[in-house]
């Protein structure tokens, strides 16, 4: 989070559609030249398919006589009111004649599904450059015999499902008359049981997530006792159904875009569904709704499951920078994850990432627009002008304020009406001279209380300020036809769109385009919309401040012609530049930019037990090197509570009891801690303080590698650490014999990380270049140590002292363990199985052992395939290790397998829960 004043779009995105597509092509060519597999396909995963299927005929005898529930959601669904600009999909209008030409009656009839016009328009525009799949739920199946009846999903047999698949495959995507040649879109239906589908959508999505994302809690919108967890099981089952369906069609090199809050678990579930290959999947998640602050989101009981599901993606994208900042803050504060500094992706753009056990999910933003060309064309429809003239004649001597919103509490219709009343009260000259035409589209779920409140308020205003020949508020609760909608937008003297919280409201953009050929009237917008920064030349207001909104209305109605024109021209440029087509192309560019980036680094395979056992049994001498925290024991809230589990102790005791095994713990812990918890295991070697000290197996004396080093820098570092400790509540300093560490695990996570970076910058720029030290950023800590002391040097010493070892296993989980993995890169990539490695005397031998020959080189007995460097964490974790396991428990389980034991479970540590992506 570099700044709180980020631009609405990033540098490089404010360009033409053709330029974005050129960048996409160059990125794809670059990846293919580097050997990256790209299929040229984009898979879009949406809650619904863009049409509603009706089953006209069926061979299933079970359907007759079945009573079905009413359609929920209706045939015209969506999270926003169906925009009259949401024209019938060209896929359908073009495909429909093909169906009619079939001699016999088709089994399925497909009708357009309104809503989400901007998203579907953007997706379709990508067909000019990519093959595409759209995966979505079928929705309720309507009966062809009775349009009011819904056919239960269990009554649709496999033959019917196959027939729908054939109908979908028969559609030719084609294109509009003025569009470039387009490729075919493949539609893939997701089938779900009715209870799962409606529990998912009507339950968890609409009663829990939708209110939460709009700063309402479930009890604020429920009509009866509310439970935030009531339908989570259905939400999870539905997301699993989507993930399984994607996995069934996924090919190497596909790009996957998952859309909106209905499917937040899909990224993680998809990776799990495709197994180890899931690490190679390139997945983006775009959230079309707002994302609330961490203090609101943390109220959600399933907050961690939702966040972990989202973080399974390579890129999580939002409408605005503020939403992405809220998400980043929530991941840090609620889950304790760390952010990575801003970095460049493959497309040169900077991204902040969330690190989840080595898997880094980039976070960014990209605004959605409308299909400006189509909207402009729709405003020229011949049916609009007569309606426009009729409205002008009806209100010939009055100013017209227009509002159109869904009948939903977050749309702020009540507040808008009260602000209009405030206008008539504070500016009485407008009484009899201005009217408000407010259209409220029916919501997906009835809200009789809100509808009653609006009706009562309208009646109050009309009664207070109206007369026999003047009605100030005209309220219409209905869905407008397209001609009526554009006539209303075109005739307005002022548009007022003031939701209490909203994502990307397309009506405001359509208003600007509709005004291009008429009055260029101004627009009053709520500052709580995702689009507010995008349209800074609108009159922006706080919808809760009725006086502010009334003043803005008055200003808009009195605005001079030059001011109107200037503002309109700027808004029109924004709306026609940042379109839905540009949005879709930028999403592709952003996702391509994650390939070969930090969060799609070389995938390390999971280490198979059988493969490990095969080499273990063949070796006459084996060497084991273990980190402690995060490798043998999970990371814990209090470092002193990181005690080994009984399984870990059993594994170490059994390994050290075999005379053919040499076992070392190579840890950052001090000597006292290691002796307290592991000192009783005979034959266990230990290295403390990141290689500063070593105790050989079977000995009691520790060898100090820092005795010959200049350690005068420690007091200087301690002074700097004390400065930051005083200013960071919950932080503390840990002083060891060879290093000093500043811990901030118990501090406010964001403040602690900020202070850590400030301290790191101070140390690196003012001290590190003058002293023989290095600064290391760990897990919620900052450590300074001598430059010649690290785990890698100790590992070299151990290898040098045991050249006859034929099997080496080394496991670690963080940045300091990469020194061990680097030291064990004994062979070049692709080495022959019989290649022998040699090792010169390391510093950890020549500095400590007097008289040790500095030029002695030893030949190692280990073969290339018998060195098992193993990182603990996600397979996409950036590491030099050759293998990976996901958790410390899996490290211990592999060791127990080698010695013929099984896990007994249980741990003595208070563990911080870590996800398994």
């Amino acid at each position: 989070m570099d700044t709180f004043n980020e631009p609405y779009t990033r540098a490089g995105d404010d360009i033409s559609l053709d330029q974005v597509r050129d960048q996409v092509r160059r990125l794809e060519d670059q990846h293919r030249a580097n050997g990256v597999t790209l299929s040229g396909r984009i898979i879009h995963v949406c809650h619904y398919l863009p049409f509603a299927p009706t089953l006209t005929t069926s061979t299933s005898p079970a359907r007759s006589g079945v009573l079905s529930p009413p359609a929920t959601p209706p045939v015209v669904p969506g999270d926003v009111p169906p925009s009259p600009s949401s024209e019938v999909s060209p896929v359908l209008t073009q495909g429909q004649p093909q169906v009619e030409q079939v001699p016999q009656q088709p089994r399925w009839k497909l009708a357009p599904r309104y809503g989400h016009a901007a998203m579907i328009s953007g997706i379709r525009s990508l067909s000019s450059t990519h093959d595409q799949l759209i995966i979505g739920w079928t929705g309720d199946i309507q009966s062809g015999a009775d349009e009011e009846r819904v056919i239960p999903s269990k009554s649709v047999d496999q033959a019917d499902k196959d027939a729908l698949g054939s109908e979908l495959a028969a559609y030719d995507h084609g294109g509009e008359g003025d569009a470039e040649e387009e490729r075919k879109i493949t539609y893939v239906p997701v089938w779900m049981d009715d209870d799962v589908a409606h529990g998912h959508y009507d339950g968890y999505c609409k009663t829990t997530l939708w209110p939460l994302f709009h700063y309402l809690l479930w009890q604020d919108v429920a009509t009866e006792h509310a439970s935030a967890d009531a339908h989570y099981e259905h939400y999870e089952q539905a997301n699993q159904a989507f993930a399984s369906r994607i996995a069934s069609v996924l090919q190497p090199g596909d790009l996957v875009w998952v859309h909106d809050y209905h499917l937040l678990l899909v990224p993680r579930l998809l990776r799990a569904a495709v197994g180890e290959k899931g690490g190679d999947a390139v997945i983006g998640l775009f959230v079309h709704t707002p994302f609330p602050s961490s203090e609101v989101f943390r109220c959600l009981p399933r907050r961690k499951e939702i966040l972990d599901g989202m973080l399974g993606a390579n890129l999580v994208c939002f409408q605005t920078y503020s939403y992405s900042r809220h998400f980043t803050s929530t991941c840090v504060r609620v889950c304790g994850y760390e952010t990575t500094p801003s970095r460049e992706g493959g497309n040169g753009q900077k991204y902040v990432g969330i690190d989840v056990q080595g898997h880094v999910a980039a976070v960014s933003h990209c605004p959605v627009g409308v299909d400006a060309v189509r909207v402009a064309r729709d405003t020229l429809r011949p049916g609009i002008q007569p309606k426009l003239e009729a409205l002008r004649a009806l209100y010939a001597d009055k100013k017209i304020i227009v509002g159109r919103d869904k009948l939903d509490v977050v749309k702020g219709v009540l507040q808008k009406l009260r602000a209009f009343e405030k206008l008539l009260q504070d500016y009485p000259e407008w009484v009899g001279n201005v009217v408000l035409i407010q259209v409220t589209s029916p919501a997906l779920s009835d809200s009789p209380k809100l509808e009653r409140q609006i009706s009562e308020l309208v009646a109050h205003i009309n009664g207070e300020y109206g007369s026999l020949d003047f009605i100030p508020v005209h309220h219409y609760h209905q869905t407008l036809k397209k001609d009526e909608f554009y006539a209303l937008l075109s005739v307005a003297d002022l548009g007022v769109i003031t939701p209490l919280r909203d994502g990307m409201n397309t009506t405001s953009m359509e208003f600007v385009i509709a005004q291009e050929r008429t009055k260029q009237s101004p627009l009053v917008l709520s500052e709580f919309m995702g689009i507010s920064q995008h349209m800074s030349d609108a009159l922006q207001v706080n919808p809760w401040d009725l006086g502010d909104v009334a003043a803005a209305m008055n200003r808009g109605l009195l605005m001079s012609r030059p001011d109107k024109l200037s503002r309109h021209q700027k808004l029109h440029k924004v709306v026609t530049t940042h379109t839905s087509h540009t949005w879709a192309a930028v999403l592709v560019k952003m996702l391509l930019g994650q390939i070969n980036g930090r969060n799609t680094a070389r995938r390390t395979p999971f280490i198979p037990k059988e493969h490990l056992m095969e080499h273990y049994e063949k070796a006459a001498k084996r060497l084991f090197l273990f980190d402690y925290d995060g490798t043998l024991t999970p990371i814990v809230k209090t470092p002193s509570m990181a005690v080994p589990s009984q399984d870990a102790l059993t594994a170490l005791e059994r390994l050290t009891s075999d005379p053919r095994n040499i076992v070392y713990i190579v840890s950052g812990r001090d000597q006292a801690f290691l002796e307290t918890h592991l000192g009783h295991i005979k034959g266990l070697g230990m290295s403390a303080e990141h290689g500063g000290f070593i105790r050989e197996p079977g000995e009691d004396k520790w060898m100090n590698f820092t005795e010959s080093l200049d350690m005068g820098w420690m007091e200087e570092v301690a002074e700097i650490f004390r400065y930051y400790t005083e200013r960071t509540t919950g932080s503390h300093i840990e002083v060891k014999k060879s290093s000093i560490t500043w811990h901030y695990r118990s501090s406010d996570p964001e403040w602690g990380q900020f202070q850590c970076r400030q301290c790191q910058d101070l140390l690196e720029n003012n001290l590190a270049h003058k002293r023989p030290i290095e600064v290391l950023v760990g897990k919620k800590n900052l450590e300074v140590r001598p430059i010649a002391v690290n785990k890698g040097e100790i590992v070299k010493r151990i290898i040098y002292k045991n050249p006859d070892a034929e099997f080496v296993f080394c496991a670690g989980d963080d940045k300091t363990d990469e020194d061990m993995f680097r030291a064990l890169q004994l062979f070049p990539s692709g080495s022959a199985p019989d290649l022998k490695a040699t090792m010169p005397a390391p510093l950890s031998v020549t500095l400590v052992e007097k008289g040790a020959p500095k030029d002695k080189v030893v030949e190692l007995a280990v073969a290339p395939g018998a060195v098992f460097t193993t990182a603990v964490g996600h397979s996409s974790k950036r590491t030099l290790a050759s293998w990976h396991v996901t958790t410390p428990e899996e490290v211990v389980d592999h060791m127990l397998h080698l010695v013929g034991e099984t896990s007994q479970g249980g741990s003595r540590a208070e563990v911080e829960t870590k996800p398994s992506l």
Side-chain angles (χ1 to χ4, degrees), residues 29-167:
D29 291 342
Q30 176 184 333
H31 288 322
R32 291 189 175 104
N34 292 334
V36 176
T37 300
L38 291 176
S39 66
R41 298 199 320 171
I42 304 174
I43 299 177
H44 294 276
V45 190
C46 312
H47 178 220
Y48 284 110
L49 290 174
F51 37 74
T54 297
L55 188 57
T56 58
T57 62
S58 174
T59 57
S60 174
R63 188 162 302 123
S64 58
V66 176
L67 296 178
S68 303
T72 307
V75 178
V76 185
D79 299 333
V80 295
S83 171
S85 67
S86 305
E87 184 62 276
V88 174
S89 170
V91 173
L92 305 172
T93 56
Q94 185 164 351
Q96 192 66 36
Q98 296 180 6
V99 177
E100 292 173 355
Q101 293 172 7
V102 178
Q104 62 183 22
Q105 184 181 11
R107 187 174 296 183
W108 291 92
K109 177 182 176 183
L110 302 177
R113 190 186 299 277
Y114 297 101
H116 301 291
M119 180 183 75
I120 297 301
S121 169
I123 291 174
R124 287 191 59 250
S125 71
L126 295 174
S127 296
S128 62
T129 55
H130 294 79
D131 293 326
Q132 296 197 98
L133 285 77
I134 297 180
I135 299 177
W137 178 43
T138 59
D140 285 323
I141 305 301
Q142 304 295 131
S143 170
D146 181 0
E147 295 182 358
E148 297 298 321
R149 188 164 66 88
V150 174
I151 298 173
S153 60
K154 63 183 178 181
S155 298
V156 181
D157 59 24
Q158 191 58 48
D160 292 333
K161 295 179 181 179
D162 293 342
L164 178 60
S166 299
E167 293 283 345

Side-chain angles (χ1 to χ4, degrees), residues 147-405:
E147 295 182 358
E148 297 298 321
R149 188 164 66 88
V150 174
I151 298 173
S153 60
K154 63 183 178 181
S155 298
V156 181
D157 59 24
Q158 191 58 48
D160 292 333
K161 295 179 181 179
D162 293 342
L164 178 60
S166 299
E167 293 283 345
L168 299 178
Y171 281 111
D172 180 13
H173 183 272
E176 296 179 350
D178 56 352
E180 55 192 292
E181 183 179 352
E182 296 175 335
R183 307 185 190 186
K184 183 180 178 63
I185 292 182
T186 301
Y187 298 95
V188 181
V190 175
W191 296 93
M192 292 187 286
D193 291 340
D194 291 334
D195 57 342
V196 172
H198 292 285
H200 163 250
Y201 183 75
D202 300 321
Y204 202 74
C205 287
K206 284 303 174 188
T207 64
T208 300
L209 291 182
W210 172 264
L212 182 78
F213 284 7
H214 291 81
Y215 287 78
L216 296 172
L217 298 184
W218 32 96
Q219 69 267 18
D220 297 329
V221 296
T223 55
E224 51 190 46
H225 175 69
S227 170
D229 253 0
H231 297 283
Y232 179 77
E233 182 180 358
H234 293 139
Y235 185 82
E236 188 174 34
Q237 290 172 351
N239 275 251
Q240 184 62 64
F242 274 88
S244 300
R245 195 69 179 99
I246 303 166
S248 70
V249 299
L250 188 66
Q251 297 178 5
D254 285 347
L255 302 180
V256 181
W257 267 111
V258 181
H259 291 274
D260 223 359
Y261 70 102
H262 313 87
L263 305 171
L264 298 179
L265 302 180
V266 165
R268 179 179 62 85
L269 294 175
L270 175 58
R271 294 200 188 279
V274 295
E276 276 298 306
K277 294 181 180 179
D280 296 321
V282 183
I283 305 171
L285 170 65
F286 191 90
V287 182
H288 293 257
T289 63
F291 195 88
S293 71
S294 60
E295 291 304 302
V296 173
F297 190 88
R298 72 188 312 142
C299 297
L300 184 67
R302 299 287 183 163
R303 59 195 187 182
K304 190 172 187 304
E305 291 90 333
I306 296 294
L307 291 174
D308 285 343
M310 299 173 71
L311 291 170
N314 300 96
L315 174 64
V316 184
C317 200
F318 297 88
Q319 296 273 14
T320 71
Y321 172 73
S322 62
Y323 298 161
S324 67
R325 182 166 57 84
H326 289 163
F327 174 74
T328 302
S329 177
T330 300
C331 292
V332 171
R333 291 182 172 278
V334 173
C335 294
Y337 298 145
E338 293 190 345
T339 61
T340 62
S342 292
R343 59 177 183 78
E344 287 194 359
N347 59 351
Q349 298 293 351
K350 288 188 175 182
Y351 300 91
V352 173
I354 308 295
D355 190 335
V356 185
Q357 283 196 314
H359 169 81
V360 179
V363 182
S364 192
H365 66 281
C366 181
V368 179
V370 294
D371 186 347
V373 173
R374 178 180 55 78
V375 173
R377 185 173 58 244
D378 286 343
T379 61
L380 303 177
R381 290 162 60 100
I384 295 176
Q385 193 61 31
K387 293 180 173 58
L388 177 63
E389 296 297 335
L391 287 169
R392 282 176 176 167
L394 186 61
Y395 305 106
D397 57 345
K398 295 177 179 60
K399 294 282 189 177
I400 302 173
I401 299 176
V402 167
R404 175 187 171 273
D405 307 272

